[in-house]
Amino acid sequence: MSAAEGPLVVGVDTSTQSTKALVVDASTGRVVASGQAAHTVTSGAGRESDPRQWWDALCEALRQCGDAAHEAAAVSIGGQQHGLVTLDAHGEPVRPALLWNDVRSAPQARRLVEELGGPDAWAERTGSVPGASFTVTKWAWLAEHEPDAVRATRAVRLPHDYLTERLTGLGTTDRGDVSGTGWWASATESYDEETLAHVGLDPALLPRVVRPGEVAGTVRDHDLPLSKGTLVAPGTGDNAAAALGLGLRPGTPVLSLGTSGTVYAVSKRRPTDPTGTVAGFADAHGDWLPLACTLNCTLAVDRVAALLGLDREAVEPGTSVTLLPYLDGERTPNLPHASGLLHGLRHDTTAGQVLQAAYDGAVHSLLGALDLVLDEDADRTTPLLLIGGGARGTAWQETVRRLSGRPVQIPEAKELVALGAAAQAAGLLTGEDPTAVARRWNTTEGRVLDAVERDEEALDRIAGVLSDASPLLERGAGSL
């Protein structure tokens, strides 16, 4: 390992499919070591993972970092949002975690919205109208279907909370991640007693919400290449961590292409969208992070490519076919029981055109929410920051560019969730705002693709098919 200019920090991204760790020079942002290990997710109606796999993956990823991890002075965990982790009296999982893309709690989501005042009341109190992804709906599902598991639960955590607690021995979370639960009131920045009482969740089971810039704890004795006493930052949810990693200023739009797709921007105004399209999340340093999320993004498009026997880049233009790739149900638009839908197939339609239609359908869902995410006074000519695994793909880049009509900037920095966690850890050492750390690291540097004329014909065609097919999509494939 070459000499670092400043202290070393560790940033972790525990995502749906794997856990990644970066050891970063806090002075320059240079990544001096990295590691990654996979974990598994169930298939079928539910999406579950054993949290102990996350810990094993973290241990392996850190071991791959070698001596650099042992030299780190601070560590922070960024993690997949919404997941419900239930722990027993010994801190062991009662059952596998229910993940963000587990949509079995859609009926509970609808009931909770109705029983607690309707969409307007939810938006005003929590900033969001909960859908099946929100943690509160998963707890309600668990109480209804597995009451023994609820009775055995002595602590409720989010994925990043679980790993932070394994490091420190203390139950903590942060405002960015807890704002996606549905039981944290953004209006008061505190746990919502009415909601918790309604779903039968004792607030004593929940972690303490650590303030931005506060030390969450220190690393305990572990068989890990982290030194005992290493500072542990609050951590946060993956989107809030990526916002830190980009050093986002208010009004700059981000489109993230991963297993899920997201669009978001930092705002000084607390979001309250009663339509439920925009989730009123908090960010990790005191502002807000209005965000819209789709369940079907890169994984769904890759599945279409595999079904067609094509490389993911083998798209062809010139099609009137429409493909709504809602393979896992959908969150934006709110169609939890939907499946994929193909319309307009002709004898001369090629496989490459069908694949391009899958890209168009996925991007259409995200761009439809972009204007709702941005404040009214945001500059619509600001380049759209394109991040996530899909951002490296030419087909994704060109589809976003064609359907948005905006310039698109592709940061060279990779692993922005882990980099954002590292910036948060660095802020503990330097006293800086983590976004200032990231801007000093110049994480948004990258090529800019000029704007092209927006493909209004494609956008109108997809919107028309979605509108006409909504009754079918709402029923779901199993209801025909």
Side-chain angles (χ1 to χ4, degrees):
M1 183 187 75
S2 58
E5 295 183 23
L8 298 180
V9 294
V10 173
V12 175
D13 172 11
T14 180
S15 65
T16 313
Q17 307 288 339
S18 68
T19 294
K20 305 162 190 172
L22 303 181
V23 182
V24 179
D25 184 336
S27 292
T28 64
R30 182 172 63 91
V31 176
V32 301
S34 64
Q36 179 173 350
H39 24 83
T40 59
V41 180
T42 61
S43 59
R47 293 290 188 273
E48 301 181 355
S49 287
D50 185 341
R52 289 169 292 203
Q53 283 195 17
W54 307 336
W55 176 254
D56 292 342
L58 174 61
C59 294
E60 174 58 27
L62 288 170
R63 290 189 188 104
Q64 291 174 21
C65 294
D67 292 340
H70 193 270
E71 296 174 20
V75 59
S76 180
I77 309 289
Q80 56 175 308
Q81 291 184 261
H82 302 306
L84 175 65
V85 181
T86 51
L87 304 177
D88 64 19
H90 304 288
E92 293 295 323
V94 171
R95 68 176 317 285
L98 298 169
L99 303 187
W100 60 273
N101 54 350
D102 188 317
V103 298
R104 287 176 292 179
S105 62
Q108 288 74 25
R110 287 193 295 271
R111 287 204 298 268
L112 286 174
V113 172
E114 293 170 0
E115 292 166 357
L116 289 175
D120 290 282
W122 272 95
E124 182 56 38
R125 185 170 63 247
T126 70
S128 303
V129 180
S133 60
F134 279 65
T135 325
V136 67
T137 73
K138 300 179 188 305
W139 176 261
W141 181 90
L142 195 64
E144 184 175 333
H145 292 273
E146 299 181 20
D148 289 344
V150 166
R151 283 190 288 270
T153 298
R154 295 294 178 270
V156 173
R157 301 290 184 261
L158 297 166
H160 111 260
D161 306 343
Y162 172 77
L163 291 178
T164 299
E165 187 167 357
R166 289 287 299 262
L167 289 174
T168 66
L170 304 171
T172 61
T173 190
D174 91 301
R175 71 192 293 270
D177 212 1
V178 77
S179 66
T181 60
W183 56 57
W184 184 80
S186 64
T188 59
E189 300 214 20
S190 62
Y191 287 123
D192 189 80
E193 294 182 1
E194 180 184 2
T195 301
L196 292 172
H198 188 78
V199 298
L201 179 53
D202 184 348
L205 303 186
L206 299 176
R208 181 174 71 90
V209 182
V210 178
R211 298 186 305 274
E214 182 182 349
V215 175
T218 58
V219 172
R220 300 182 293 171
D221 278 323
H222 284 299
D223 183 22
L224 285 177
L226 292 173
S227 299
K228 180 182 179 182
T230 299
L231 297 180
V232 180
T236 193
D238 51 6
N239 291 297
L244 291 183
L246 291 165
L248 274 192
R249 300 181 189 276
T252 299
V254 178
L255 195 156
S256 178
L257 301 169
T259 303
S260 65
T262 55
V263 286
Y264 57 85
V266 169
S267 176
K268 295 290 185 181
R269 304 169 187 168
R270 185 176 73 90
T272 55
D273 176 18
T275 72
T277 301
V278 176
F281 295 151
D283 75 356
H285 75 291
D287 290 326
W288 302 95
L289 196 71
L291 177 148
C293 176
T294 64
L295 296 183
N296 300 277
C297 195
T298 59
L299 197 63
V301 172
D302 284 353
R303 180 57 180 153
V304 172
L307 287 171
L308 296 170
L310 296 177
D311 180 271
R312 63 168 63 100
E313 294 290 340
V315 296
E316 295 180 30
T319 180
S320 60
V321 70
T322 299
L323 201 164
L324 304 178
Y326 303 159
L327 307 191
D328 283 324
E330 191 46 80
R331 171 172 166 174
T332 303
N334 184 24
L335 297 165
H337 301 297
S339 57
L341 186 146
L342 178 64
H343 179 268
L345 200 63
R346 300 289 187 183
H347 282 290
D348 61 352
T349 304
T350 67
Q353 289 172 337
V354 174
L355 180 57
Q356 180 61 69
Y359 279 95
D360 287 1
V363 171
H364 174 270
S365 295
L366 289 166
L367 293 179
L370 182 60
D371 285 340
L372 296 175
V373 163
L374 291 170
D375 290 336
E376 292 180 1
D377 54 358
D379 183 355
R380 263 50 181 183
T381 65
T382 301
L384 180 61
L385 291 176
L386 193 64
I387 66 170
R392 305 291 164 178
T394 301
W396 281 111
Q397 294 171 6
E398 292 304 317
T399 302
V400 171
R401 189 181 179 206
R402 176 172 55 85
L403 294 184
S404 71
R406 299 179 69 127
V408 174
Q409 183 170 1
I410 305 159
E412 293 178 4
K414 300 178 181 179
E415 309 301 349
L416 284 161
V417 173
L419 273 178
Q424 191 185 59
L428 290 184
L429 303 179
T430 66
E432 294 174 272
D433 185 312
T435 59
V437 172
R439 288 195 286 269
R440 179 161 53 77
W441 292 351
N442 202 20
T443 54
T444 60
E445 181 180 6
R447 64 193 180 104
V448 178
L449 306 177
D450 291 337
V452 297
E453 183 178 358
R454 190 161 72 166
D455 189 346
E456 299 288 357
E457 186 278 330
L459 293 169
D460 290 344
R461 172 171 43 79
I462 297 168
V465 171
L466 176 58
S467 177
D468 291 343
S470 287
L472 178 63
L473 293 168
E474 288 169 0
R475 289 203 303 270
S479 302
L480 299 179

